[in-house]
Amino acid sequence: MSAEGYYWLKFFHFAAFISWMAMLFYLPRLFVYHAEHIENKAFCEVIKIQERKLYNGIGWIAMFGTAGTGLAIWLLAKPDLIAQPYFHVKLTCAALMVAYHLSLGHYMKLFREDRCFKPGKFFRVYNEVPTIIMCVILYEMVVKAYLG
């Protein structure tokens, strides 16, 4: 793969990852509003639309974009990454991020069916999970990869 192709792949990988993180950060915030205004049915109907559009319209596309470009970088440009311990940590974190993404879909379904009774405080705390995972990924891919 040419250097130019590699940098374009990285560009699209970063763009998809940022978009995915935006969804992972914002959807739990919508859940906070939903949980804290559960008695306001009209408000909740609007929030349900926002949740669905964010999850389905941005989340899935960004997640598959991140995974697809990440796999392309790995397999086409940097197949030797698999030998690096920091890359194993990144792959584990990526799997955790996918699991978190799916868990948000579960909570969204519960809210859609008016069966989610977790308090707003739960989603405030749950909202920190992707931040922690993202920081581990960044540490592994920037600090460990370049400084050893």
Side-chain angles (χ1 to χ4, degrees):
M1 166 173 276
S2 71
E4 184 178 345
Y6 171 73
Y7 288 118
W8 276 109
L9 266 178
K10 283 191 81 151
F11 168 80
F12 287 114
H13 184 65
F14 291 159
F17 182 70
I18 291 166
S19 298
W20 190 26
M21 291 306 300
M23 187 283 292
L24 295 176
F25 290 147
Y26 192 56
L27 188 56
R29 175 55 52 188
L30 290 176
F31 292 165
V32 169
Y33 302 144
H34 200 148
E36 291 180 352
H37 297 90
I38 202 81
E39 71 288 339
N40 185 341
K41 297 298 180 193
F43 178 82
C44 288
E45 289 307 312
V46 172
I47 291 291
K48 286 177 185 179
I49 293 167
Q50 292 174 337
E51 291 165 353
R52 180 180 45 81
K53 287 183 176 184
L54 182 61
Y55 187 75
N56 294 325
I58 295 173
W60 283 107
I61 295 166
M63 182 183 74
F64 282 116
T66 302
T69 55
L71 281 171
I73 290 168
W74 172 24
L75 298 175
L76 299 175
K78 302 279 186 178
D80 57 324
L81 281 175
I82 198 65
Q84 304 298 322
Y86 69 84
F87 190 66
H88 291 254
V89 175
K90 180 185 180 180
L91 290 176
T92 301
C93 287
L96 291 172
M97 203 77 86
V98 169
Y100 182 82
H101 177 111
L102 296 173
S103 75
L104 294 179
H106 170 72
Y107 287 120
M108 185 179 70
K109 181 178 186 252
L110 291 178
F111 274 122
R112 183 179 64 234
E113 297 169 352
D114 298 320
R115 295 187 308 116
C116 189
F117 303 108
K118 294 205 177 287
K121 188 172 185 174
F122 169 82
F123 291 109
R124 278 187 172 79
V125 173
Y126 201 58
N127 194 28
E128 301 307 319
V129 171
T131 304
I132 294 165
I133 297 171
M134 179 193 67
C135 287
V136 172
I137 290 172
L138 291 173
Y139 174 77
E140 293 298 325
M141 295 312 294
V142 175
V143 176
K144 289 288 229 178
Y146 293 104
L147 298 179

